[in-house]
Amino acid sequence: MNQAIKNFVQLKRIAVIGVSRSDTKFGNSIYKELKGKGYEVVAVHPTLELFDNDRCYKTISEIDPKVDGVFINVKKEKVKPILDEAHQAGVKNVWLQQGSESPETVQYGNSLGLNLVSGGCIMMYAEPVDSVHSFHRWIWRLIKKY
């Protein structure tokens, strides 16, 4: 496991960008899973007032007190402005969930000086790792991606 991943999963307060009104969205699952693992999670969505009975912020810059990191699970085309916003808000730690990253957004995030994680699923690393995520992590160890 690389240092950026170790650093990110040790954070305490994480904004989750990608929560939705639709119960089937992966961002919703991540929010609830991280919350269940003891993280202080903060939902960010431009039009929701509440998510999972918690206040939902419209932007990263509105969050007070600040978060330690930002988890992003949105379409690739929407990532660059979110990286800009995280940078402007002084948040250095960013996780781009699989499917949200592109070579361009990774390069852009790095150019902003962000501690960027990409190419993996946070649920393979946020302890305790269970069920399918544990199996997925085991496979990644076999093929030396972990």
Side-chain angles (χ1 to χ4, degrees):
M1 181 181 342
N2 74 36
Q3 194 60 46
I5 292 171
K6 286 180 186 176
N7 292 344
F8 196 93
V9 296
Q10 290 175 2
L11 301 176
K12 302 296 180 211
R13 186 168 158 80
I14 300 172
V16 177
I17 300 175
V19 297
S20 170
R21 286 182 179 86
S22 171
D23 287 338
T24 62
K25 295 294 184 175
F26 191 66
N28 296 4
S29 298
I30 292 295
Y31 183 93
K32 292 173 183 178
E33 287 273 340
L34 291 175
K35 187 176 180 180
K37 292 176 184 285
Y39 289 90
E40 185 180 347
V41 287
V42 178
V44 178
H45 189 281
T47 62
L48 292 177
E49 297 293 322
L50 289 173
F51 180 77
D52 198 38
N53 293 316
D54 297 328
R55 179 179 175 190
C56 191
Y57 293 84
K58 302 206 180 312
T59 65
I60 298 167
S61 59
E62 285 182 7
I63 301 170
D64 187 35
K66 274 184 168 181
V67 292
D68 304 316
V70 174
F71 171 86
I72 301 173
N73 185 61
V74 297
K75 293 180 181 177
K76 295 174 189 178
E77 308 82 58
K78 296 182 178 185
V79 170
K80 190 175 176 188
I82 297 168
L83 295 176
D84 282 330
E85 187 182 352
H87 176 69
Q88 290 168 2
V91 180
K92 292 286 188 192
N93 301 294
V94 176
W95 188 298
L96 294 175
Q97 179 62 23
Q98 286 172 312
S100 293
E101 82 277 24
S102 70
E104 294 78 22
T105 54
V106 170
Q107 180 181 10
Y108 185 69
N110 288 331
S111 76
L112 293 174
L114 299 173
N115 302 323
L116 198 65
V117 177
S118 66
C121 176
I122 193 170
M123 298 317 299
M124 287 176 30
Y125 304 98
E127 297 290 344
V129 177
D130 53 10
S131 68
V132 70
H133 300 108
S134 178
F135 179 71
H136 192 190
R137 184 165 78 174
W138 179 77
I139 295 293
W140 273 42
R141 281 185 177 141
L142 283 177
I143 61 175
K144 303 200 185 315
K145 282 190 161 190
Y146 181 82

